[in-house]
Amino acid sequence: MGKGFTEWKNVKGAFPQYKGHYQPRIPLNDNYYDLTDTNVLKWQAKLARENGVYGFCFYHYWFDGKLLMEKPMENLLNDPTIEINYCICWANETWTKAWAQHSKEILIQQTYSNEKEWDRHFNYLLPFFKDKRYIRMNSKPIMVIYRPEQIENLENMLTYWNNKAKAEGLEGLCFISQQSEYNIETDSAGYLFDYGIEYQPDRAMKSLQVQLPMLIKRGLNRAFIKFGFKRTKYSTYTFNYDKVWKTVLHTLPQNEKSIPGAFVDWDNTPRYKEYARIFDGYTPEKFEKYLEQQIIHARNEYKKDMIFMFAWNEWGEGGYLEPDEKYGEKTLKAIKTALINTNEFPY
């Protein structure tokens, strides 16, 4: 990495791991856009609304006041003509070279400091919370936290932020956890979280992988076949797309706070190359079928009217809804059709 680096470089440099492997992924019309361009955000918002995407959840990077990749959501805040709902997820992880160079070398350390720093962080977020487009639950602005379990003094920090929000005329904040490693039911600060996201396909992959060690002694190939794994000639593993989705659809809520997840696809070859994890078998038609089922599942089992989708533009991990050269806008149209078929199209 270095000055001028963007993940488009990784996306362009990806290569197939086996015959028929769809790499590199190419944006439709070679649209390797610049996320700092407000016109790009206008295009994304228009495309999202046209196809029933209710809003965006922006990853937010804050390292004791140092911001990274902040321009897209700041551009949105500063341009009220862009019609899209949105919320923020604090991606509170230390940055290392793990995904680029398989190194534990730290690029920037994530710390949580003290009340003075909490205050500075809250004040940065406050204008977003007050934006009329910001997504609220029970009148409270949503604040997703990627890994709550890593935050020292979590209970004190969330309480401080809640009190600050009320002092600013808000109802408080709606805290939502993202990663499954955080247990709302057992953690001492869990009562402060209104919801927890069942982050997919991460949870489904972990569910499949946890079975693998128990079957190693029976023969590695049999274990892979049974659970939809295949090993390529490199060190990559493929997961059967249909089996992963069926695992998602058979998942029951962990508790009444659970928000269901969904996913388009997964292929992190651009980042990990020969050490990638790849889903095999994606088509827009399959995605539409499974998403429709998950919408019904969310309504009937989770009693929720929302799903967090992986992802809008995670090109480095194959999780994107944006048009590409192979499928055009078919993936986005699949969302629209699934929402219309379930009477959930929001616009």
Side-chain angles (χ1 to χ4, degrees):
M1 296 189 291
K3 187 176 181 180
F5 173 86
T6 74
E7 198 158 43
W8 287 129
K9 182 176 181 180
N10 288 331
V11 172
K12 291 177 181 179
F15 58 89
Q17 301 295 303
Y18 51 88
K19 186 177 180 180
H21 180 206
Y22 176 32
Q23 284 292 349
R25 307 288 183 97
I26 302 172
L28 186 65
N29 300 322
D30 287 333
N31 185 21
Y32 296 101
Y33 53 72
D34 178 355
L35 275 171
T36 64
D37 183 346
T38 303
N39 289 323
V40 168
L41 187 55
K42 290 179 179 179
W43 165 74
Q44 291 171 320
K46 182 175 183 293
L47 202 59
R49 283 181 59 87
E50 287 175 350
N51 290 284
V53 175
Y54 178 75
F56 293 148
C57 183
F58 286 88
Y59 272 1
H60 159 64
Y61 302 92
W62 174 277
F63 300 90
D64 278 352
K66 179 171 178 57
L67 291 159
L68 293 172
M69 299 194 292
E70 73 280 5
K71 286 301 178 185
M73 71 181 204
E74 289 184 355
N75 288 343
L76 177 58
L77 177 67
N78 293 328
D79 190 337
T81 67
I82 302 174
E83 293 186 63
I84 193 67
N85 303 303
Y86 71 99
C87 62
I88 291 169
C89 173
W90 180 17
N92 61 311
E93 281 193 311
T94 293
W95 280 24
T96 71
K97 291 184 177 180
W99 62 264
Q101 298 175 12
H102 310 289
S103 166
K104 293 182 180 179
E105 180 185 344
I106 292 174
L107 297 173
I108 184 166
Q109 182 76 42
Q110 181 72 71
T111 57
Y112 303 101
S113 298
N114 50 32
E115 191 173 292
K116 182 179 179 180
E117 185 58 34
W118 302 343
D119 192 71
R120 188 158 64 131
H121 194 178
F122 177 87
N123 289 335
Y124 173 78
L125 294 168
L126 184 59
F128 297 95
F129 294 154
K130 289 189 171 184
D131 186 355
K132 66 179 182 179
R133 297 164 296 179
Y134 200 89
I135 300 171
R136 291 167 171 76
M137 294 292 294
N138 301 319
S139 301
K140 298 187 293 185
I142 284 174
M143 183 64 195
V144 182
I145 300 179
Y146 189 72
R147 289 195 178 278
E149 74 279 3
Q150 295 188 3
I151 300 178
E152 305 151 9
N153 298 317
L154 175 63
E155 186 173 8
N156 290 338
M157 190 194 78
L158 298 186
T159 301
Y160 184 84
W161 278 7
N162 249 333
N163 290 337
K164 285 280 292 182
K166 291 174 183 177
E168 291 289 343
L170 301 171
E171 296 290 325
L173 296 178
C174 174
F175 293 113
I176 302 177
S177 65
Q178 177 167 319
Q179 285 289 346
S180 58
E181 283 81 358
Y182 184 72
N183 192 320
I184 287 176
E185 295 180 298
T186 61
D187 189 82
S188 60
Y191 72 97
L192 290 165
F193 284 86
D194 296 85
Y195 301 100
I197 299 167
E198 292 186 352
Y199 182 36
Q200 300 291 3
D202 182 69
R203 188 182 177 200
M205 283 195 288
K206 287 174 181 174
S207 176
L208 289 168
Q209 287 175 308
V210 79
Q211 308 293 331
L212 191 57
M214 296 186 292
L215 292 173
I216 291 294
K217 292 180 181 179
R218 302 184 195 177
L220 198 57
N221 291 332
R222 288 176 59 197
F224 287 150
I225 293 167
K226 181 176 178 64
F227 291 99
F229 294 91
K230 291 180 182 177
R231 185 108 182 228
T232 73
K233 66 178 181 179
Y234 299 104
S235 297
T236 56
Y237 291 106
T238 67
F239 293 73
N240 181 278
Y241 185 81
D242 301 278
K243 288 188 177 182
V244 178
W245 252 115
K246 286 172 184 176
T247 300
V248 173
L249 293 168
H250 283 92
T251 297
L252 293 175
Q254 292 177 300
N255 52 62
E256 63 182 11
K257 293 183 176 182
S258 296
I259 298 175
F263 70 94
V264 189
D265 197 2
W266 180 278
D267 183 346
N268 58 17
T269 300
R271 292 184 177 177
Y272 290 94
K273 301 178 175 60
E274 66 270 22
Y275 299 99
R277 297 294 180 265
I278 302 162
F279 286 3
D280 189 47
Y282 167 81
T283 66
E285 292 75 21
K286 286 182 182 179
F287 171 58
E288 178 188 314
K289 177 184 71 174
Y290 292 134
L291 180 59
E292 187 171 322
Q293 292 176 40
Q294 182 68 336
I295 292 168
I296 295 169
H297 191 46
R299 190 163 56 201
N300 294 342
E301 301 296 334
Y302 288 78
K303 311 300 181 185
K304 298 293 189 301
D305 64 351
M306 69 188 101
I307 291 173
F308 271 79
M309 172 74 69
F310 177 81
W312 174 262
N313 65 341
E314 191 66 88
W315 286 82
E317 293 184 341
Y320 59 87
L321 295 169
E322 293 174 332
D324 68 8
E325 286 288 351
K326 184 172 183 178
Y327 296 112
E329 293 189 12
K330 287 183 179 179
T331 300
L332 276 167
K333 299 305 178 189
I335 289 185
K336 184 173 186 177
T337 301
L339 288 167
I340 289 172
N341 288 348
T342 54
N343 296 314
E344 295 289 351
F345 192 77
Y347 302 114

